[in-house]
């Protein structure tokens, strides 16, 4: 699970209230401003630690403070500071270059990963299915499959429903924990078991993950497991 800060870093459309994070003082020079704040770093780190505590109690923070000594350095400082509040969580850190390689080579060595707004989630999405949940400090969150849609295969019954179902499951889990609603947490837990059952059935599982089924059969298997 990758947790990232979605409002900061290099994205010029997000890191400024007014103006733009990119500018060209001359025809031959372009500058980009990277924004990192202590508040944003601490907030995303704390979210990741809470998730790690609910899962396998293992968190990895990704950075490049060997080069970006001030910006990544601030992110690392906040990760270390927040870590003191979670002595039950095992913490390690990896330089971003190395992580990009290890994510492809041995992704099973990670569980919860926290980083600044980076391309690592795009890389991870290429390894399989990618649900997503965007949350902030308020009462609003947005759940959706990550990194676009596939209109070219609409209506063909071959789109993998995993990311949409898992996004809904993440939303139920967030609603249950943020609002202290045990029923919503139970729904999320039931959806985990239902999806696991569907993925374990080759006849129900969709073709892009080595199954002989389609979108309808996989969705049906999840619903039947939930009803059971």
């Amino acid at each position: 699970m990758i947790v990232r800060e979605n409002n900061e870093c290099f994205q010029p459309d997000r890191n400024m209230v007014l103006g733009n994070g990119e500018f060209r003082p001359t025809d031959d020079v372009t500058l980009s401003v990277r924004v990192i704040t202590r508040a944003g770093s601490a907030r995303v780190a704390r979210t990741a630690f809470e998730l790690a505590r609910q899962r396998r109690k293992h968190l990895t923070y990704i950075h490049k403070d060997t080069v970006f000594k001030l910006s990544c350095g601030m992110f690392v400082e906040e990760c270390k500071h927040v870590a003191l509040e979670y002595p039950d969580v095992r913490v390690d850190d990896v330089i971003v270059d190395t992580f990009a390689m290890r994510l492809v080579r041995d992704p099973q060595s990670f569980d919860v990963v926290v980083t600044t707004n980076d391309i690592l989630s795009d890389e991870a999405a290429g390894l399989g299915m990618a649900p997503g949940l965007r949350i902030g400090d308020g009462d609003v969150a947005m759940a959706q499959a990550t990194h676009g849609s596939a209109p070219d295969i609409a209506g063909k019954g071959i789109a993998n429903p995993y990311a949409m179902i898992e996004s809904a499951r993440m939303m139920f889990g967030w609603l249950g924990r943020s609002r202290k609603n045990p029923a919503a947490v139970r729904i999320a837990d039931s959806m985990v078991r239902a999806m696991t059952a569907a993925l374990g059935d080759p006849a129900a599982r969709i073709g892009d993950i080595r199954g002989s089924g389609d979108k309808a059969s996989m969705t049906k298997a999840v619903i039947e497991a939930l009803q059971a």
Side-chain angles (χ1 to χ4, degrees), residues 38-214:
R38 289 198 184 277
S41 298
R43 179 176 60 181
V44 74
R46 186 166 284 104
T47 298
F49 272 101
E50 287 292 333
L51 288 168
R53 179 173 275 176
Q54 297 165 20
R55 290 165 58 92
R56 301 174 188 171
K57 299 188 187 315
H58 177 207
L59 181 135
T60 306
Y61 59 90
I62 310 302
H63 61 90
K64 185 76 170 179
D65 71 352
T66 52
V67 176
F68 297 104
K69 297 182 183 297
L70 296 180
S71 55
C72 271
M74 179 179 290
F75 174 73
V76 168
E77 288 169 10
E78 290 306 310
C79 287
K80 290 180 177 179
H81 180 73
V82 175
L84 298 175
E85 303 173 25
Y86 297 86
D88 55 319
V89 175
R90 178 167 62 94
V91 183
D92 50 30
D93 69 295
V94 181
I95 297 293
V96 64
D97 314 58
T98 303
F99 179 80
M101 175 185 67
R102 288 181 57 190
L103 183 60
V104 175
R105 188 183 65 191
D106 59 337
Q108 66 276 9
S109 65
F110 303 105
D111 188 51
V112 176
V113 172
V114 64
T115 183
T116 57
N117 198 347
D118 214 321
I119 63 169
L120 298 176
S121 61
D122 300 75
E123 182 188 12
L127 302 176
M129 297 83 77
L133 180 66
R134 291 164 177 80
I135 61 174
D137 288 331
D139 294 328
V140 178
M142 180 176 69
Q144 66 177 55
T146 306
H147 299 303
S149 59
D152 55 317
I153 60 172
K156 297 181 180 179
I158 59 175
N160 193 327
Y162 176 88
M164 287 299 295
I165 296 173
E166 271 292 285
S167 296
R169 192 272 306 167
M170 292 168 69
M171 176 65 83
F172 275 115
W174 174 77
L175 286 169
R177 292 184 175 90
S178 65
R179 288 160 171 73
K180 295 179 172 54
N181 186 325
V185 174
R186 288 196 297 272
I187 289 172
D189 293 342
S190 296
M191 291 178 73
V192 171
R193 292 190 292 269
M195 180 57 77
T196 301
L199 291 174
D201 181 1
R205 199 167 60 230
I206 200 164
D208 66 345
I209 46 176
R210 300 182 181 180
S212 58
D214 56 13

